[in-house]
Every structure is written in C-alpha cells, then in structure tokens.
Amino acid sequence: MPWDRNQMAARAAQELEDGMYVNLGIGIPTLVANYVGDKDITLQSENGMLGMGPFPFEGEEDPDLINAGKQTITELSRTSYFDSATSFGMIRGGKIAAAILGAMEVAENGDLANWMIPGKLVKGMGGAMDLVAGVGRVVVVMDHTNKHGESKVLKECTLPLTGRGVVDRIITNLGVLDVVDGGLKIVELADGVTEEEFRAATEATLV
Amino acid sequence: MKKVYPDADAALDGLLFDGMHIAAGGFGLCGIPELLIDALVKSGVKDLTIASNNCGVDGFGLGKLLDTKQIKKMQSSYVGENAEFMRQYLSGELELEFNPQGTLAERMRAGGAGIPGFYTKTGVGTVIADGKEVKQFNGEDYILEEGIFADLSIVKAWKADDTGNLIFRKTARNFNPPAAMCGKVCVAEVEEIVPRGSIDPDLIHLPGIYVHRVIQGEHEKRIEQRTTRKREEA
C-alpha cells in the first residue's frame, strides 16, 4: 500500500534532527509538525517568526499573529519575531537547517517546480525561491504521480523552475529518493510497494 | 520637529502625485496601513507603482486601490487572494513584477540603506533571472537585484512616540520596517501614540529617523484565514 498523507508526513518528520530550525511549506509539509515527537524542533514562519505554535483556541485568534499561509497561530515560550528582511536573511544566509516543501515536479538533477503552471492563474512564488536557494537541505514531499497517473519525478521539469539543482531528498507516497550524481537513488520503498512498481511510476533515471 | 498629524488625509497632504512609487508594509492583511490606504483612495492619486508583498483582498487593503483603478503596477511576491487583481492583470490594465519574497524585502532594505544593487542566489536558473546580470562568487552563480527607492512609504506599527520611534506587534512587523526605510518620506499609522520616554529605548524596533509623519487611529485588522483548535484537544 502506498503511504497516505499522514504517513508521508511522518516519514518526512524522520528527516528532522534534535535542535534543528526548520521551515515547513503549505499542505502535507504542515502535517510534519504533528510527528516530530520528542525532538526539539523550532519552526520558522517566513513572515517573521521563529518558534511557531499550534492554532489558537476558538476566541483567542490574534490578527497580528499569523503564519506564512495567513492562518492564525500561537506563540511559544521560545518565540521570537523579526521583520521580513531579517527573516529572509536567515533563510538566504543558510541558518535554517531544512525546508520541507510540496512540489508539482522534481527532476533527477534536483530541479524543483512548484510555483506556476503556464496558462493557469499565476499567484506568485512567495518565499519558495528564497527558501530553496538558501536553506541547508531541501526535502520535497509530494505524490509520485499526478492525477492522470503521470510521473512527477522527471528527467527534466516541464514547468517553470522554482530553483535549479536545489532538491536533496524526495518523499512520495511510493517511497524515498535521494538526488545523487547521475540521477536519483532509491532510499526506501513504502510498505508493500515493489521496486518494479516504483520504477514504473518514475520517469527519472534511477541509479 | 512635529511628526504627529491629526489624521491620514493630513499626513499625506502635499506628498502625493500621479505616477509615484509607494512602498507599503504588511503581509497578507496582517500589519497593513489600512488608514493610509483609505486616504490614498480618497485622494484619487493614480498610476501608482506599489511595492508590497501582496495586494490585499477584494475590497480590503490595497484591493481598494484596485477597485478604483489607481494602481498601474505592483511589485509583489504573491497575489493569490484577489479576483479583481487577476481580472485587471489578465486584461492588461495592471502590470505585475513578481519578486521572490526575500528579494523584495531585501530590495526595500537595501534601498533604505543606500545600496543600489546586491547579488543573490534566489531565482538563479528561473524566469526571475531573465535579463539580470549573473556573477560568480566562489564558483556559484548569483543574480543582480536592485534596491527599491520609493517616493513614499506607508506602514503600520503598534505604538509610536511623537518622535516617530516605532514598535510593532508579533508577526504584524513583517515588511513594515524595510518598507519604511526605502521611502523618501515615510508615514506611519499606529494604534497608539505614547508619550516620549515611555518606550524603553532598547526595545524600539524602528528608530524615528526613518519616520517622518505619524497618525493614530482605529484599525479593523481583518483576519484572512481564521484557524483554530478545539479546547478538548488541549
């Protein structure tokens, strides 16, 4: 059985080590926070906060306290706030250990596309280009194939790039891949997924 | 030195002209200069170029200036929540210059710090790099981005004193300090103007040298995505 959203998030949480400062993207990456267990992880929200807490209780929402997805959140005892230039200074400056992000396509050389589909409404890249260019390690969490069954793990991205050669590891519903010299290396298969099935769903070169 | 003005209209008096470049603070609807935006609508100033991470939502924030077609061009990183924006953009009425969020923030900060250009890894190998100078440092490619030098900055802070020293609250700080820095003139709206000396000088987020005019007023502070958890989960 391929992994579901929560199992993918739980697998992605294994990428995080005690003491890390981490930025989580929107969608499945947000769920990763539910699976960090006892590890001491500080979440960064690029609109200007380190130490992001959970959603507030009903009635305690604060319009001055939101995450990068514009959702109301809370602070923790460790929280600090700063302006956007400082926030992206720590991102661009390599101080954030890892980013876990969603993707539309990833290529075997680590190219990432996750911000626009030509011909469709373009909303913008937000902080995604800064994150993938700056953080120490980029982990992508996404479905292995699109809704038409076509591979999202490609030889070359077809969509406009968010970053060139920026992805380190890919976690999909079928398993885990690393970007290495010459292509992608299978690190792990989801429970019950065969290597044959995995290869059939992958367009990229597997080494 | 009198920086305190009675209201937003008075604070913008004499500063506005058609075709001007404005830098605005805020992220989404958080920490946006609501009162100054309303005053810009009232003034009728047009053909504006606005550097702001977002462009409000339909009918609120900078979205109000879209409804009145006062904006010619936006410099933003994300414009997702706005149907009127998309309509004007797709029909060619509105220009849009996408900036990666960190690049936009740094362009403002750089402008305010007298830095006309800087090199960044962000956007290398993407459409953002098109037409920009590429330079190698230690074997890696970087692209040249330019500082933003705006005619006017409009920002929202939590508190100010009468000398323009500002403090912000939580994530409402966001783009406000860099936006404040990059304008020839900066007008700040705050929730409360407090007596001089009542803010600990060590806790001032933006020194008053960057702030030329200050107003106090009531803010709606609309929430874009109200997310909560149930008490039972605690």
Side-chain angles (χ1 to χ4, degrees):
Chain A
M1 278 287 285
W3 287 326
D4 64 22
R5 287 164 60 86
N6 284 304
Q7 287 170 311
M8 288 161 71
R11 178 59 190 81
Q14 291 176 28
E15 301 296 316
L16 305 181
E17 292 165 24
D18 205 51
M20 271 188 174
Y21 291 87
V22 177
N23 185 293
L24 302 179
I26 293 166
I28 299 175
T30 304
L31 302 175
V32 173
N34 299 334
Y35 298 96
V36 296
D38 294 337
K39 286 183 278 198
D40 186 34
I41 303 294
T42 305
L43 297 178
Q44 198 236 22
S45 190
E46 66 266 26
N47 53 318
M49 177 184 200
L50 277 167
M52 185 170 35
F55 293 149
F57 293 123
E58 281 176 68
E60 294 181 3
E61 307 93 312
D62 184 339
D64 289 338
L65 183 44
I66 63 169
N67 63 18
K70 286 131 192 167
Q71 298 170 312
T72 46
I73 49 163
T74 54
E75 63 186 20
L76 305 169
S77 55
R78 71 175 59 187
T79 296
S80 57
Y81 299 110
F82 32 84
D83 68 69
S84 299
T86 305
S87 182
F88 283 92
M90 65 183 73
I91 289 169
R92 205 185 299 103
K95 314 301 179 188
I96 304 293
I100 300 179
L101 303 169
M104 299 169 184
E105 295 177 345
V106 182
E108 62 191 43
N109 64 350
D111 285 357
L112 169 69
N114 73 352
W115 79 281
M116 79 172 283
I117 300 174
K120 295 214 173 166
L121 286 183
V122 182
K123 293 183 168 187
M125 73 290 286
M129 286 190 180
D130 311 271
L131 279 161
V132 300
V135 302
R137 182 170 163 80
V138 174
V139 177
V140 163
V141 182
M142 66 174 190
D143 282 329
H144 208 96
T145 54
N146 65 22
K147 57 178 182 253
H148 307 297
E150 298 156 345
S151 185
K152 293 170 68 174
V153 186
L154 304 172
K155 290 187 187 303
E156 275 183 46
C157 290
T158 63
L159 298 170
L161 296 185
T162 308
R164 193 176 68 190
V166 293
V167 176
D168 296 290
R169 176 164 278 193
I170 309 162
I171 297 171
T172 76
N173 52 325
L174 301 185
V176 181
L177 288 156
D178 271 352
V179 179
V180 297
D181 283 346
L184 302 177
K185 189 173 132 221
I186 300 175
V187 174
E188 193 177 321
L189 297 170
D191 299 331
V193 172
T194 66
E195 186 167 332
E196 196 180 9
E197 288 167 338
F198 192 97
R199 285 180 177 273
T202 308
E203 187 208 275
T205 310
L206 294 171
V207 298
Chain B
M1 182 179 65
K2 280 196 96 123
K3 293 190 178 180
V4 177
Y5 283 68
D7 57 36
D9 299 332
L12 292 178
D13 186 43
L15 301 179
L16 304 180
F17 59 93
D18 291 347
M20 71 187 301
H21 191 185
I22 297 176
F27 179 91
L29 301 180
C30 182
I32 59 171
E34 298 176 17
L35 307 173
L36 292 163
I37 290 168
D38 285 347
L40 285 175
V41 171
K42 228 164 104 183
S43 78
V45 64
K46 59 181 193 295
D47 295 328
L48 300 173
T49 294
I50 301 185
S52 169
N53 190 55
N54 314 94
C55 195
V57 296
D58 285 300
F60 192 67
L62 290 174
K64 290 184 177 178
L65 286 166
L66 285 174
D67 293 340
T68 51
K69 301 201 170 66
Q70 287 168 269
I71 304 177
K72 184 180 75 175
K73 177 178 175 179
M74 285 300 301
Q75 299 172 301
S76 305
S77 86
Y78 191 85
V79 292
E81 326 305 338
N82 201 314
E84 177 61 15
F85 188 102
M86 284 303 164
R87 194 198 65 70
Q88 289 187 24
Y89 174 60
L90 294 172
S91 71
E93 294 166 58
L94 179 67
E95 288 174 59
L96 171 59
E97 175 193 293
F98 270 132
N99 286 249
Q101 196 174 135
T103 295
L104 182 63
E106 188 64 15
R107 289 184 66 194
M108 291 180 181
R109 196 201 69 82
I115 297 170
F118 59 93
Y119 292 96
T120 176
K121 252 191 306 193
T122 303
V124 168
T126 76
V127 294
I128 291 303
D130 289 352
K132 289 177 185 159
E133 183 196 326
V134 179
K135 190 176 166 88
Q136 283 208 338
F137 295 88
N138 296 320
E140 277 200 74
D141 286 348
Y142 291 77
I143 55 174
L144 177 65
E145 294 282 3
E146 295 184 1
I148 289 175
F149 299 85
D151 299 303
L152 171 69
S153 302
I154 54 171
V155 301
K156 153 78 173 52
W158 183 33
K159 293 180 181 179
D161 65 18
D162 70 311
T163 73
N165 290 319
L166 300 184
I167 53 174
F168 301 89
R169 187 170 173 274
K170 303 185 189 287
T171 58
R173 194 182 319 185
N174 57 59
F175 273 83
N176 283 296
M181 290 169 67
C182 75
K184 286 193 194 100
V185 180
C186 172
V187 182
E189 59 179 67
V190 301
E191 293 173 45
E192 189 183 2
I193 296 174
V194 299
R196 195 182 297 197
S198 65
I199 305 174
D200 181 341
D202 270 331
L203 299 183
I204 287 165
H205 295 141
L206 190 75
I209 191 168
Y210 294 109
V211 179
H212 305 91
R213 301 182 180 189
V214 181
I215 57 161
Q216 174 183 310
E218 293 290 319
H219 291 81
E220 178 182 337
K221 298 213 277 186
R222 196 182 288 186
I223 291 176
E224 206 165 332
Q225 305 263 358
R226 190 177 295 274
T227 45
T228 57
R229 63 190 151 130
K230 296 261 184 262
R231 291 211 176 254
E232 300 84 85
E233 290 172 24

